[in-house]
Amino acid sequence: MLLLEAVRVCYGAVVGLEDGSLRLNDRELVCLIGANGAGKSTLLNAISGVVPVASGHILFDGESIGGLRPERVVRRRIVQVPEGRQIFVRMSVEENLLLGAYVRRNEELGQDIDRVYSLFPRLLERRTQYAGLLSGGEQQMLAIGRALMARPRVLLLDEPSMGLAPLIVEEIFATLRQLREQGISILLVEQNARAALRFSDRAYVLTHGRVELEGPAAEIAKNEHVREAFLGKAAASGRALAPVLKSRK
Ligand SMILES: Nc1ncnc2c1ncn2[C@@H]1O[C@H](COP(=O)(O)OP(=O)(O)OP(=O)(O)O)[C@@H](O)[C@H]1O
Ligand SMILES: [Mg+2]
C-alpha cells in the first residue's frame, strides 16, 4: 500500500535520512524504532511532504507521492500526528478536532466528531475546554482524534507515548489496534520500543538513517541486538546500535 524505496533526505549538508526503505500493507500496524537522531521523524516527514526528498521513491497504491505538498498528501488520506502533538492550546477541544477536517467538505462532520468522542470519551467530557488544559494523555488523544477527522487510510504517528505514564501508553496503543481493525493502516514511530513492539504486527529498526533490521514485531523483540540496545539497560541511555546491527533480513 505504502512503499518507501531508498528515500534520502538532506538538511543542507546534514543527511537526515540515508536509506529509508519500508512498506506498510493494508490494515497493518507497523512500528519504526530507533535511537535519538536516527531519522525517524525525518522519514515520517518525507512521507507527509513536510521535508523534500533528495532521492528515492515513495509510492502509495502504486503512485508516486514523493515531493507532493503536505496538503496534497493529506488529500490522499495519509495523515500525520506530529511529534509533540502540536495542538492549539488556546482553542477548545472541539475546535481542534474541526481543524483536522480542513481538507474536507463539511458534510458528515458531526458524525465524524461523534466517532472520535466514542473512541475517546474523555474528549467528549472536555469538548468545550481549552485544549491546553488537558492532561498529556488527553492531548495525545486529541492529536489522534484531529488526524482521524481527515478520514485517514494511513495514519503516521511520531512518538505518541512521549512523556506519558505507562497505563496511558497502553490505552493509546490499544486504540491504535482498534483503528487498525477498522481498516486504517498505521506507521508508528517510537523510542518506547518495548510497548511499540508488543502492539505492532511488524517492525523496522532505523540506525543512523538506515533501516537495518525488519521482521515480525515478536521476532524483532526477541532479537539479541534489539534487546540489548532498546529493551535492556542500554535503552535508558539511548545508546545507538550501529556497531552490532548488520543483518537485514
Ligand atoms: N531541521 C533540521 N536541520 C538540520 N538537521 C536536522 C533537522 N531535523 C533533523 N536533523 C538531523 O537529522 C537527523 C535525523 O533527525 P530526526 O529528527 O529525524 O531523528 P529522530 O529519529 O526523529 O530523533 P528523535 O528520537 O530525537 O525524535 C539528526 O541527525 C538530526 O540532527
Ligand atoms: Mg523524532
Side-chain angles (χ1 to χ4, degrees):
M1 186 179 190
L2 183 65
L3 185 69
L4 274 71
E5 288 176 338
V7 173
R8 183 180 164 91
V9 174
C10 300
Y11 301 101
V14 177
V15 178
L17 184 66
E18 182 81 44
D19 178 1
S21 297
L22 57 77
R23 86 192 132 82
L24 177 66
N25 297 320
D26 201 14
R27 289 167 186 259
E28 231 189 354
L29 203 176
V30 169
C31 70
L32 175 67
I33 59 177
N36 266 319
K40 304 181 298 298
S41 298
T42 300
L43 186 143
L44 286 194
N45 289 336
I47 299 170
S48 58
V50 174
V51 297
V53 173
S55 61
H57 300 283
I58 305 178
L59 301 174
F60 183 53
D61 284 344
E63 279 181 47
S64 172
I65 59 161
L68 287 188
R69 298 166 61 83
E71 59 271 24
R72 303 290 295 271
V73 177
V74 174
R75 278 180 212 280
R76 304 269 178 126
R77 304 267 191 266
I78 300 174
V79 183
Q80 185 169 7
V81 181
E83 191 170 10
R85 291 136 208 171
Q86 312 215 358
I87 56 165
F88 295 91
V89 294
R90 303 281 197 122
M91 293 173 77
S92 74
V93 165
E94 191 150 305
E95 284 164 340
N96 269 276
L97 289 178
L98 286 168
L99 281 176
Y102 74 102
V103 294
R104 294 175 35 198
R105 291 194 293 149
N106 284 351
E107 0 178 287
E108 297 169 350
L109 282 185
Q111 192 184 314
D112 286 7
I113 283 191
D114 288 346
R115 208 175 295 142
V116 171
Y117 288 147
S118 67
L119 200 61
F120 300 116
R122 271 185 274 176
L123 295 183
L124 176 61
E125 288 162 28
R126 294 163 185 270
R127 56 185 283 266
T128 59
Q129 287 186 14
Y130 279 138
L133 297 176
L134 300 179
S135 70
E138 289 161 351
Q139 292 192 4
Q140 187 59 58
M141 293 169 191
L142 179 57
I144 295 171
R146 182 180 57 186
L148 292 175
M149 291 299 291
R151 295 199 172 172
R153 289 181 58 205
V154 174
L155 201 55
L156 311 170
L157 294 112
D158 199 346
E159 304 211 29
S161 79
M162 204 199 298
L164 302 183
L167 273 178
I168 306 286
V169 173
E170 295 277 313
E171 192 180 330
I172 284 175
F173 283 7
T175 306
L176 298 182
R177 283 270 271 263
Q178 219 176 315
L179 291 172
R180 180 200 56 180
E181 259 125 59
Q182 291 171 17
I184 301 177
S185 306
I186 298 174
L187 180 57
L188 169 66
V189 155
E190 266 298 341
Q191 280 204 48
N192 185 346
R194 193 181 298 274
L197 288 171
R198 212 149 36 76
F199 282 88
S200 300
D201 303 313
R202 286 190 305 115
Y204 291 85
V205 180
L206 194 65
T207 307
H208 296 324
R210 284 178 185 276
V211 172
E212 297 242 339
L213 193 66
E214 61 180 282
E219 247 172 60
I220 296 286
K222 282 189 220 146
N223 181 288
E224 193 187 321
H225 303 314
V226 169
R227 291 175 72 90
E228 198 179 306
F230 294 108
L231 305 176
K233 283 184 195 147
S237 65
R239 180 149 59 90
L241 70 168
V244 285
L245 271 186
K246 282 195 199 78
S247 61
R248 180 150 175 230
K249 284 193 274 183

